[in-house]
Amino acid sequence: MTKIFDAPEEFAATALAGFAALHPHFVRLIKGGVVRSTSVPKGKVSVVVGGGSGHYPAFAGYVGPGFVDAAVAGDVFASPSTAAVARVCRKAHHGGGILLSFGNYAGDVLNFGVAAERLRAEGIDVRIVAVTDDVASAPAETVSKRRGVAGDLVVFKIAGAAAEAGLPLDEVERIARHANARTVSFGVAFDGCTLPGSAGPLFTVPNGKMALGLGIHGEPGISEEAIVSASELATLLTEKLLPERPKDTRKVGVILNGLGATKYEELFVLWSSIAGRLQQAGLEIVAPEAGEFVTSLDMQGCSLTLVFLDDELEQHWIAPCSSPVLRRGATIPTTPAIDNLADEDMLTTYPPADGGGQRGGACIIRIFSETSLVLHEAEEQLGRIDAYAGDGDHGQGMARGVTAALEAAKAASAAKAGTASVLAAAADAWADRAGGTSGAIWGLLLRSWSTALSDNGPIDDRAVVAGARQALDGVVRLGGAKIGDKTLVDVFSPFVDTLEKSFAESGSLSTAWRQAASAAKLAAEATAQLLPKLGRARPLAEKSLGHPDPGAVSFAMIATRVATLLR
Amino acid sequence: MTKIFDAPEEFAATALAGFAALHPHFVRLIKGGVVRSTSVPKGKVSVVVGGGSGHYPAFAGYVGPGFVDAAVAGDVFASPSTAAVARVCRKAHHGGGILLSFGNYAGDVLNFGVAAERLRAEGIDVRIVAVTDDVASAPAETVSKRRGVAGDLVVFKIAGAAAEAGLPLDEVERIARHANARTVSFGVAFDGCTLPGSAGPLFTVPNGKMALGLGIHGEPGISEEAIVSASELATLLTEKLLPERPKDTRKVGVILNGLGATKYEELFVLWSSIAGRLQQAGLEIVAPEAGEFVTSLDMQGCSLTLVFLDDELEQHWIAPCSSPVLRRGATIPTTPAIDNLADEDMLTTYPPADGGGQRGGACIIRIFSETSLVLHEAEEQLGRIDAYAGDGDHGQGMARGVTAALEAAKAASAAKAGTASVLAAAADAWADRAGGTSGAIWGLLLRSWSTALSDNGPIDDRAVVAGARQALDGVVRLGGAKIGDKTLVDVFSPFVDTLEKSFAESGSLSTAWRQAASAAKLAAEATAQLLPKLGRARPLAEKSLGHPDPGAVSFAMIATRVATLLR
């Protein structure tokens, strides 16, 4: 279990800082991540990767010439915030556009997706490739639902080599997708890992057993079986992957990955058997690696990753690279980067706003003041509801988010910003400071809503109603949740439906909002009968049956309180 | 715990083979170790290192240009045999002599030491530097008693750089000794590791505690304390080492080493605090490393190593190197090695022997036949005695050794070898096949004895008696045990004293031997009252009180049986 830490909540950030201090020839530390410390040719496509912490060398250990340009690091096993992704991308952009890649998890899809939209709005061409190599997590027919595990390394390496070769963004994206389509992994776990500060492991595997297909955060696997010998394990792993081999493939790149407490010599013993199996299958093994490449703190277990190579993929798989964790071929000549990474002046300027727009901004502040009160009052209650299925941190996250949003709204208003800009500033601050999936969702929700509003003139009731629909659309599109998945969408959707219907009938925003808030409250209670489908579907999720979703409850609370302001 | 293996007794060899298959650009596999797969300039000093397995990347992961030339690998946590060390050295020698380096453990000191003598007899200049960095294992006044832990890497790296720079053997040896004198380590353990095939860990640390100064094979530490925060741990580690700082040292090279299940991000968190402590002490940190460099299977814990640099050491510490585990600076250009590593023809030729000498050889065979009978009869009994303090494998090891010795003696005799050569061949086979410390001791004992004998003429009783003294001297000198350490020396010493005295009085070898064997038997029984001092002084050692030393017992058994042949 994790034994070395100071404050558990600072573990990920302190680890990243320590890593950066040890590897100044490769990386520079910025808020939320690291970027290359060596100069990058102007116009080169930037490959930016990331995800939760606790997986070192994923992701910071991949930064270097021939590999990736920057890595964003979230908290332990938690997606980085939208703002962190966007901030790291801005520092890592060299004019050639950005390939953003990460393992396929709901929180990452959301935060990287929203960040990409924000960056595109700033004129940066951003493409997204979510890695889906874990064959245990979904069948081949629904490959897009598969999780990303150690195949991350393969896709990042190949994309990084394509970018280093000077290929344009279209090509780098195509090659990364091609690599992902031909990369498969399967893993077994012997025992769970312990989060910093936790008294016990995140999950356990019974003594003498191994869990097949278990995810790297303890997501459920396929089955538990008795531990087998190394040579039988080699057979098991290869037999799970070889059926996915594209026809006529003759060559294969391989990663045999240790999850943390399964050690090198065990991997080498296993490798001897795996190499034999692959050769028996008529495959030539190209540049195999066995070691620790995507860990899960001190989890016991390993995974096998195969990338079925064609000539193009092979070329990029074996291309030179240099990074803290992987070095291939000859040294790539580099010079220290000299660009300035200091954070931009935080006194953001806003579009000019007239008196009506500035009064609208003040109105937004009042809404966040009330929302802050209700969320701080409910912090403990929301935490309790969340603890049935999750980390119990929903109340804290919402309180942190709204506090940051209120401060940002006040700062924007003080800088004479109008309604839309004040709301957008609040949205970004919420996403950046709340953390987790709910922070990203609320940032996205508020930012989408703001785009329907204006910085000039008094607040238009029609625009508020239209904004609600835009916000819902944004959350559904990027968040990926549908009605019935036991999320905020189960509440936000009837809210918007009722708001639109009642506003069309009554013409009164206050009447419509009150009715919509009532609908939201009912819908929130109804989520108690649902089982969650989104996010890290931990075994614990079943415990949430009979309890409402905390995100749905907090939405209904906010909607109800805001209704009192609209009278 | 170790979960991936086939036959536990093949774990180390299979792991080494798997490692070599993964790293053909760095190493070639030979029996008992790996050597560089890239060409080495003729006349370059070879740096050969090694020790037990279970410590990867120690030692095979260090092989490559700018680092070491070859690594010898024993069984898990067991010294490689003398023959393995000698064999690997012969393949790694490029005409410039050999620096042989390893951690300071009794078994390694013995096997590498005997191998060095054998190689010197073959005309190869061999120097030995045993690494003694672990400050927890002995005070500064008796530095030569300290164990070697992660400081191995420092001494090997600096010696490897000196050799790569083309310095002669005298200089490489001097620099390696200088590096060792300025390298110190201190470690803590949070939990023990499990040997392949064992049901439970080698040792445990109580929950919530950490063991200070525990050795990498579970050797006793200084104390157990409650686990502290990362910043307090940084203070503890640095405060143990900084008092050893030579005056006027301004620069320090650092290794923060994870033992297996203490993971990278924990080390990075710790590093942030350690770097601060070292800087506060006025030290400039040069090329620090944090990661897994000397592991103990899946042991939980870490160690801090400091090398106090002067200009000379700094130059070699930062010099370029390339190996599976450590790469520094620019790529060192290499070409594939083309020398033939095939084992020499095993039909060894022997010096010509006359009829008397050949009859003497046949006599040696009869002695080993009898010895083989007695050791196979006593195999279980010896195992039981050994289990009180050790692995319980003494009986097996002795049986394996004598079987190999008998075969080798027969082969040498069939090739018409004389007395001395037959005994020497038997000695080498015993050392090579028995394994462990007792195998090395018996190999050394028999080989030393053989040097007093001749290949021509009948066996000279005086020479037999003189050989006994030579054998005892050899065992004491290279084995390092004194009377009272509860080893074979406690029995062999009175045996030789009695043999000499009685032979001087009686002039009869059979009489003298009989009396000497009686003295040995009494002395063996007396070892029950002693506590062992040599070797891996496990906490278990106290359990041996009241039981005789198995090595002493087996010696007495052999001496007694051989007496029956001399009538």
Side-chain angles (χ1 to χ4, degrees), chain A residues 138-470:
Chain A
E141 302 78 54
T142 52
V143 70
S144 68
K145 289 193 176 170
R146 285 180 173 174
R147 301 180 293 233
V149 287
D152 284 357
L153 179 88
V154 173
V155 176
F156 302 167
K157 165 71 184 77
I158 288 173
E164 200 77 26
L167 297 181
L169 185 56
D170 283 346
E171 275 295 278
V172 174
E173 181 189 6
R174 179 188 63 73
I175 291 167
R177 287 194 189 289
H178 184 47
N180 184 44
R182 294 172 73 104
T183 301
V184 287
S185 299
F186 189 86
V188 296
F190 303 118
D191 212 353
C193 54
T194 307
L195 295 168
S198 290
L202 203 56
F203 66 94
T204 56
V205 179
N207 205 6
K209 297 271 184 180
M210 57 183 187
L212 271 56
L214 198 96
I216 55 173
H217 317 95
E219 300 92 336
I222 293 173
S223 62
E224 272 174 12
E225 294 188 6
I227 290 179
V228 295
S229 70
S231 48
E232 288 165 316
L233 183 56
T235 304
L236 186 156
L237 293 172
T238 49
E239 284 183 353
K240 293 284 182 192
L241 299 181
L242 287 175
E244 309 238 355
R245 170 186 184 179
K247 266 185 195 151
D248 303 326
T249 314
R250 307 293 305 163
K251 294 186 176 182
V252 67
V254 191
I255 298 172
L256 179 57
N257 178 55
L259 288 167
T262 292
K263 300 314 300 176
Y264 306 103
E265 278 136 324
E266 294 177 86
L267 298 175
F268 298 153
V269 165
L270 185 55
W271 175 251
S272 291
S273 290
I274 286 175
R277 301 286 180 289
L278 296 174
Q279 283 152 357
Q280 277 161 24
L283 286 163
E284 181 188 334
I285 299 168
V286 180
E289 302 282 346
E292 297 180 349
F293 297 104
V294 179
T295 62
S296 286
L297 296 172
D298 61 330
M299 184 164 158
Q300 250 186 49
C302 64
S303 63
L304 178 66
T305 298
L306 301 183
V307 49
F308 298 107
L309 298 170
D310 55 19
D311 289 348
E312 182 178 49
L313 293 180
E314 182 182 6
Q315 169 201 339
H316 297 304
W317 173 241
I318 63 173
C321 73
S322 185
S323 70
V325 68
L326 189 69
R327 242 175 152 175
R328 286 193 169 170
T331 309
I332 301 175
T334 56
T335 54
I338 49 162
D339 52 317
N340 179 13
L341 285 186
D343 266 314
E344 302 88 6
D345 192 354
M346 292 310 288
L347 290 170
T348 320
T349 54
Y350 297 96
D354 63 11
Q358 290 185 32
R359 279 190 294 280
C363 184
I364 298 290
I365 292 176
R366 280 198 300 283
I367 292 174
F368 278 105
S369 292
E370 279 300 310
T371 305
S372 176
L373 287 176
V374 70
L375 286 177
H376 280 95
E377 285 161 20
E379 182 176 334
E380 206 193 315
Q381 181 195 347
L382 291 170
R384 220 165 34 239
I385 300 172
D386 187 33
Y388 289 113
D391 301 335
D393 62 355
H394 182 74
Q396 285 168 37
M398 292 295 284
R400 252 197 330 264
V402 75
T403 302
L406 178 58
E407 276 171 27
K410 283 178 178 169
S413 182
K416 299 190 189 304
T419 316
S421 292
V422 170
L423 184 55
D428 292 353
W430 190 314
D432 197 14
R433 300 275 289 282
T437 307
S438 76
I441 291 280
W442 272 92
L444 173 61
L445 185 159
L446 296 170
R447 199 170 233 285
S448 304
W449 210 321
S450 78
T451 57
L453 304 178
S454 164
D455 277 334
N456 288 293
I459 294 176
D460 174 7
D461 289 354
R462 271 167 220 283
V464 171
V465 174
R469 175 61 65 186
Q470 274 177 232

Side-chain angles (χ1 to χ4, degrees), chain B residues 10 37 63 72 112 150 185 193 246 258 405 439 458 477 535:
Chain B
E10 289 164 14
S37 60
V63 177
V72 197
F112 284 85
S185 299
C193 54
R477 182 166 47 86

Side-chain angles (χ1 to χ4, degrees), chain B residues 47-60:
Chain B
V47 178
V48 178
V49 303
S53 293
H55 303 300
Y56 187 85
F59 297 91

Side-chain angles (χ1 to χ4, degrees), chain A residues 1-6 11 14-19 21-23 53-58 190-191 207-209 227-233 260-273 288-290 292 295 297-298 300 302 321 327-331, chain B residues 1-6 11 14-19 21-23 53-58 190-191 207-209 227-233 260-273 288-290 292 295 297-298 300 302 321 327-331:
Chain A
M1 63 186 285
T2 303
K3 301 259 173 121
I4 303 178
F5 52 87
D6 287 307
F11 182 82
T14 311
L16 190 69
F19 162 78
L22 284 156
H23 294 285
S53 293
H55 302 300
Y56 186 84
F190 303 118
D191 212 353
N207 205 6
K209 297 271 184 180
I227 290 179
V228 295
S229 70
S231 48
E232 288 165 316
L233 183 56
T262 292
K263 300 314 300 176
Y264 306 103
E265 278 136 324
E266 294 177 86
L267 298 175
F268 298 153
V269 165
L270 185 55
W271 175 251
S272 291
S273 290
E289 302 282 346
E292 297 180 349
T295 62
L297 296 172
D298 61 330
Q300 250 186 49
C302 64
C321 73
R327 242 175 152 175
R328 286 193 169 170
T331 309
Chain B
M1 63 187 283
T2 304
K3 302 260 172 120
I4 303 179
F5 52 87
D6 287 309
F11 182 82
T14 312
L16 190 69
F19 162 79
L22 284 156
H23 295 284
S53 293
H55 303 300
Y56 187 85
F190 304 119
D191 214 354
N207 205 7
K209 297 271 183 181
I227 289 179
V228 295
S229 69
S231 49
E232 289 166 316
L233 183 56
T262 291
K263 299 314 300 176
Y264 307 103
E265 277 136 323
E266 295 178 84
L267 297 175
F268 298 154
V269 165
L270 185 56
W271 175 251
S272 292
S273 290
E289 301 282 345
E292 296 179 349
T295 62
L297 296 171
D298 61 331
Q300 253 185 49
C302 64
C321 74
R327 242 175 152 176
R328 287 195 168 166
T331 311

